[in-house]
């Protein structure tokens, strides 16, 4: 068993039977083949690509294949290890394979205005990521500065590395209200995430984010209910949307399992070294309501979208698609 787990066919004791060595090596080869073809690539009890399999990105993939360095993880040099789920150009799959590294990709060709965004939905699978600083999906403004006042939205992030969170670049109340998601096990979770941009009763536009179970999403028309969600009260008052900055946003996905980085690296990792677990996650079926996309980015457009109203926040909302929001 230890030899199979180590993936080695060379270090058998001299007295080991030939049959034992042959069977063990066959098992190792089968395991490696399964990993390569994603036949048995799993995260906990959930296949990493729900309803499909992982593959090399195709030409219609909305994510970038280029490497973009980040101050969040500076050692070793950044790598783009992004893969996709077959048939879904909006999807992103990342696996650390237990390696020390700074792994990331983003969507520079599909930026959008936060002022136009109404709702964003996606499916999430996470496995074996406890102990790894990973951010399966987050968004950053074109101009970043000011930490929690930057306007960064970490929709799904393991920061601290033991929990699945929604964060706002470290913002604390009243600037932002992060949330730890008890429903989401960082080592085995399959669920849904919904984000809303809406006006509150003080006239300011806020961001609400909810991570929920697949059952909750199914009961609410394919989106989370919005009850007991994370909240960023004044997105248009953030640094990325004021002082002449354009309030344009870009989606990002990463695993920061490196050796060094900025203050965020040190805060999220809490002094822990790189994880040797094979952190695996996928984001599938990203659907965005509000902004207009063209070309391959049009795959992000939510064509048949029904607003999932956060419970207890809105009233007098019409049943038609994308209604005007009248806030209590």
């Amino acid at each position: 068993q230890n030899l199979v787990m180590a993936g080695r066919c060379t270090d058998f004791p001299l007295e080991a039977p030939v049959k034992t060595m042959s069977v063990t090596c066959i098992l190792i080869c089968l395991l490696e083949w399964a990993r390569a073809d994603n036949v048995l690539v799993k995260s906990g009890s959930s296949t990493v690509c729900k309803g499909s399999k992982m593959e090399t990105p195709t030409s219609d993939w909305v994510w970038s294949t280029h490497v973009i360095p980040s101050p969040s993880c500076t050692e070793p040099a950044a790598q783009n290890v992004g893969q996709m789920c077959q048939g879904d150009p909006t999807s992103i799959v990342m696996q650390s394979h237990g390696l020390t590294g700074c792994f990331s990709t983003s969507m520079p060709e599909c930026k959008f205005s936060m002022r136009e965004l109404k709702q964003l939905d996606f499916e999430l699978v996470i496995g074996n990521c406890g102990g790894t600083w990973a951010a399966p999906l987050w968004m950053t403004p074109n101009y970043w500065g000011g930490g929690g006042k930057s306007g960064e939205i970490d929709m799904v992030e393991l920061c601290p590395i033991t929990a699945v969170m929604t964060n706002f670049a470290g913002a604390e109340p009243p600037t932002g209200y992060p949330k730890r998601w008890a429903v989401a096990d960082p080592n085995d979770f399959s669920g849904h995430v919904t984000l809303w941009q809406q006006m509150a009763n003080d006239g300011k536009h806020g961001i609400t984010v909810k991570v929920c179970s697949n059952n909750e999403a199914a009961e609410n028309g394919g989106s989370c209910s919005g009850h007991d969600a994370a909240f960023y009260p004044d997105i248009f008052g953030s640094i990325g949307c004021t002082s002449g900055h354009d309030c344009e946003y870009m989606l990002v996905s990463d695993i920061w399992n490196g050796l060094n980085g900025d203050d965020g690296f040190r805060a999220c990792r809490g002094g822990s070294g790189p994880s040797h677990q094979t952190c695996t996650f996928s984001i599938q079926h990203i659907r965005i309501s509000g902004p207009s996309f063209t070309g391959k980015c049009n795959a992000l457009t939510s064509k048949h979208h029904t607003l999932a109203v956060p419970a207890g926040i809105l009233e007098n909302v019409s049943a038609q698609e994308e209604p005007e929001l009248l806030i209590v």
Side-chain angles (χ1 to χ4, degrees):
Q1 182 181 10
N2 291 336
L3 288 168
V4 173
M5 294 302 293
R8 301 172 67 182
C9 285
T10 56
D11 294 342
F12 287 92
L14 292 175
E15 66 272 15
V18 173
K19 182 177 180 180
T20 299
M21 291 189 289
S22 299
V23 170
T24 302
C25 287
I26 289 171
L27 286 172
I28 291 170
C29 291
L30 286 173
L31 286 170
E32 290 303 315
W33 169 79
R35 291 190 189 103
D37 197 43
N38 195 45
V39 175
L40 295 175
V41 173
K42 303 231 178 205
S43 56
S45 62
S46 303
T47 302
V48 67
C49 286
K50 294 190 284 187
S52 64
K53 68 176 184 177
M54 185 174 66
E55 68 176 6
T56 301
T58 53
S59 60
D60 59 348
W61 197 44
V62 298
W63 294 87
S64 174
T65 58
H66 299 295
V67 177
I68 302 177
S70 169
S72 295
C73 189
T74 56
E75 184 185 358
Q79 301 177 62
N80 187 339
V81 297
Q83 300 287 289
M84 67 179 284
C85 294
Q86 190 175 54
D88 180 7
T90 73
S91 63
I92 174 69
V93 181
M94 278 201 186
Q95 297 176 294
S96 69
H97 297 288
L99 300 175
T100 298
C102 303
F103 311 116
S104 179
T105 187
S106 59
M107 274 193 214
E109 296 181 35
C110 301
K111 293 183 180 182
F112 56 88
S113 172
M114 179 59 69
R115 299 186 186 278
E116 297 176 352
L117 180 66
K118 294 183 180 180
Q119 185 166 333
L120 185 153
D121 282 90
F122 58 91
E123 296 175 20
L124 168 69
V125 172
I126 303 177
N128 299 321
C129 286
T132 302
W133 182 23
L137 195 62
W138 60 286
M139 60 176 73
T140 179
N142 272 345
Y143 180 87
W144 194 99
K149 295 182 179 180
S150 65
E152 174 180 319
I153 304 168
D154 307 304
M155 292 173 282
V156 183
E157 180 182 35
L158 276 74
C159 178
I161 58 176
T162 56
V164 178
M165 303 282 298
T166 292
N167 292 315
F168 303 100
E172 297 179 352
T175 302
Y177 297 80
K179 180 77 175 180
R180 176 174 180 167
W181 302 109
V183 69
D185 182 340
N187 293 310
D188 184 12
F189 178 68
S190 174
H192 193 89
V193 182
T194 304
L195 173 150
W196 303 266
Q197 187 264 98
Q198 56 194 5
M199 187 173 67
N201 57 1
D202 60 1
K204 296 178 180 178
H205 286 253
I207 294 293
T208 304
V209 182
K210 176 74 179 286
V211 176
C212 68
S213 66
N214 289 318
N215 286 341
E216 179 177 320
E219 292 169 358
N220 288 276
S223 297
C224 298
S225 68
H227 177 70
D228 198 22
F231 186 52
Y232 193 82
D234 186 15
I235 190 64
F236 296 155
S238 66
I239 292 175
C241 296
T242 57
S243 302
H245 303 132
D246 59 14
C247 211
E248 292 278 318
Y249 274 72
M250 178 178 68
L251 294 174
V252 186
S253 181
D254 55 53
I255 297 176
W256 296 140
N257 198 41
L259 298 171
N260 204 357
D262 60 10
D263 290 343
F265 179 94
R266 289 180 282 276
C268 291
R269 290 271 289 267
S272 297
S275 171
H276 299 296
Q277 292 287 98
T278 298
C279 173
T280 300
F281 63 73
S282 72
I283 302 294
Q284 287 179 263
H285 306 125
I286 301 174
R287 296 293 179 264
I288 301 176
S289 175
S292 296
F293 294 104
T294 59
K296 67 180 183 180
C297 300
N298 193 48
L300 297 164
T301 301
S302 179
K303 299 178 177 64
H304 302 288
H305 176 73
T306 302
L307 182 70
V309 181
I313 296 179
L314 309 179
E315 67 175 4
N316 301 326
V317 179
S318 84
Q320 67 183 2
E321 286 191 357
E322 301 180 355
E324 294 295 324
L325 304 185
L326 304 179
I327 312 301
V328 177

